[in-house]
């Protein structure tokens, strides 16, 4: 994810449906989104943390469809993962494909053992994605009456057996 991607990403991230169950705010100007991308590109101010962000494009026509994130904590050897797709790209298995790729990437990079995801309990599509990739529900987080679930998975489940 680079500032240079803003032109392609801005229109696909405008749809309000994307933000129904996630804390991320919708940027209503390209300049606002560029500011956010600039911060992400600069990386975490905490030396024990690494921010990894990718824009997602379809292989066949190169169109932008969303993004993928991992916040890596070197101290915990764990990464919080997140994925966002534009509604026109929902329902094709892209989020599952992207998260599966991310888990493999994290396994190869070797800096974390665990992947974690925090998901609004009403976000049925996202729950399907992590359940399909064999994440386990670890706890509930309740804030202002909204329940989130925290899921975890070893990035290399075969390493545990
Ligand atoms: C969550 C999200 C990434 C899923 O993307 P996607 O590419 O459509 O996901 P996939 O196609 O890989 O898998 C979604 C699965 O959920 C299912 N699903 C979709 N809506 C559903 C619903 N309302 N109830 C139950 N299942 C649902 C789909 O049918 C699909 O399963 P299937 O392949 O067995 O049919 C996408 O909806 C999104 O970007 N939402 C907004 C941002 C967001 O909430 N991100 C997650 C943050 S935790």
């Amino acid at each position: 994810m680079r500032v240079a991607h803003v032109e392609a990403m801005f229109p696909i991230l405008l749809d309000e449906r994307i933000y129904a169950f996630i804390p991320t705010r919708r940027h209503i100007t390209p300049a606002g989104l560029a500011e956010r991308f600039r911060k992400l590109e600069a990386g975490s101010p905490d030396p024990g943390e690494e921010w990894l962000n990718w824009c997602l494009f379809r292989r066949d026509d190169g169109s932008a469809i969303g993004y993928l994130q991992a916040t890596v904590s070197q101290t915990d050897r764990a990464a919080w993962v997140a994925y966002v797709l534009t509604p026109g790209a929902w329902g094709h298995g892209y989020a599952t494909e992207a998260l599966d790729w991310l888990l493999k990437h994290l396994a190869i990079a070797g800096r974390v053992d665990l992947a974690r995801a925090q998901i609004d309990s009403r976000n049925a599509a996202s729950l399907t994605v992590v359940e399909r990739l064999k994440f386990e529900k670890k706890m509930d987080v309740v804030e202002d009456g909204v329940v989130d679930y925290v899921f975890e998975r070893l990035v290399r489940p075969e390493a545990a057996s």
Side-chain angles (χ1 to χ4, degrees):
M1 182 187 275
R2 308 245 174 263
V3 175
H5 291 126
V6 167
E7 193 182 337
M9 296 295 287
F10 176 71
I12 67 149
L13 295 178
L14 266 181
D15 194 310
E16 289 186 353
R17 285 174 291 174
I18 295 172
Y19 305 92
F21 302 124
I22 61 174
T24 308
R25 298 172 77 180
R26 187 172 74 105
H27 287 280
I28 53 167
T29 64
L33 188 65
E35 184 56 34
R36 170 151 164 252
F37 277 24
R38 209 168 287 120
K39 272 192 198 138
L40 296 175
E41 206 179 327
S44 172
D46 174 351
E49 192 174 270
E50 207 180 344
W51 293 348
L52 307 175
N53 292 278
W54 294 267
C55 294
L56 303 172
F57 300 88
R58 277 171 52 125
R59 279 197 200 96
D60 55 358
D61 63 4
S63 58
I65 56 167
Y67 63 87
L68 187 63
Q69 302 187 300
T71 305
V72 170
S73 162
Q74 274 137 25
T75 19
D76 293 355
R77 287 192 57 83
W80 287 99
V81 298
Y83 33 84
V84 167
L85 292 183
T86 194
W90 291 356
H92 296 279
Y94 297 148
T96 307
E97 182 181 340
L99 182 59
D100 189 39
W101 175 85
L102 176 55
L103 293 165
K104 290 184 175 115
H105 174 84
L106 292 172
I108 292 165
R111 289 195 288 279
V112 299
D113 304 312
L114 267 184
R116 295 194 173 111
Q118 183 162 342
I119 302 178
D120 188 314
S121 56
R122 301 164 297 180
N123 194 347
S126 187
L127 295 174
T128 305
V129 170
V130 289
E131 278 158 8
R132 199 182 286 153
L133 290 173
K134 311 252 181 308
F135 279 68
E136 281 176 34
K137 187 173 159 237
K138 290 291 176 184
M139 64 172 176
D140 295 4
V141 178
V142 186
E143 205 179 312
D144 299 332
V146 173
V147 182
D148 283 358
Y149 298 147
V150 173
F151 286 84
E152 266 182 23
R153 202 199 93 159
L154 287 171
V155 294
R156 294 173 59 225
E158 69 281 5
S161 51

